[in-house]
Amino acid sequence: AKTAARPRSVCAPRERWEPAMATGPVDISALTRVATDDLGLKAQPASPIFKGALVQIKVRSAPYGGSDKSSNGHRFDSITFANGMISSGMSCQLFHYVHDEHDKFFKVCEAFDFIIVRCNPGQIKADGGNQGAFDDGMRGIRKLGIQVWPSPDVMEFMGA
């Protein structure tokens, strides 16, 4: 009897990552690609009403980059957050803060209308970075009129 081909599992590793984040309205190619794929991420709108970013951190010394990460390096909820923005007509590009690229990272951030920060407290330091320098960079982004959620000051007030 002929056996039907097994459908490819959505959990199977990809031969190459889909450049979903690279095709957004903001050129982020100067930054190191950290995630191995963007599996499940919707296509970015051709003419977004706002250009958004979802920023993450991967602790390079921790399994999967930290306990909040999926095996592809994204936070477990990042694709869902981004897809909500995309479904509302906004773009939402996912990328990681790599402390070795601090200045390049914040230069790229200047091209967005809003930034969602999804970096757990302590992870920037655990990866060898400086939390204070990151927070000051985000404060500088806010001074440019770009929304940052949550702001470093809110995080600090909450005791994070």
Side-chain angles (χ1 to χ4, degrees), residues 59-129:
V59 180
R60 290 172 270 188
S61 63
Y64 299 113
S67 61
D68 60 338
K69 304 297 182 300
S70 294
S71 61
N72 65 1
H74 287 302
R75 283 181 55 100
F76 65 90
D77 56 2
S78 292
I79 298 292
T80 305
F81 269 77
N83 283 342
M85 301 295 140
I86 293 168
S87 292
S88 296
M90 299 176 262
S91 67
C92 192
Q93 292 172 261
L94 287 78
F95 55 97
H96 289 72
Y97 174 71
V98 177
H99 66 86
D100 305 314
E101 300 175 348
H102 179 87
D103 293 338
K104 281 195 290 185
F105 173 87
F106 282 101
K107 187 68 179 162
V108 167
C109 286
E110 291 176 6
F112 288 95
D113 297 315
F114 68 87
I115 299 169
I116 300 169
V117 180
R118 301 291 291 148
C119 302
N120 276 359
Q123 287 188 332
I124 290 172
K125 183 178 179 183
D127 191 51

Side-chain angles (χ1 to χ4, degrees), residues 106-113 115 137-148:
F106 282 101
K107 187 68 179 162
V108 167
C109 286
E110 291 176 6
F112 288 95
D113 297 315
I115 299 169
M138 284 299 169
R139 286 183 185 101
I141 293 295
R142 285 184 50 90
K143 286 180 183 174
L144 295 174
I146 299 166
Q147 295 299 310
V148 176

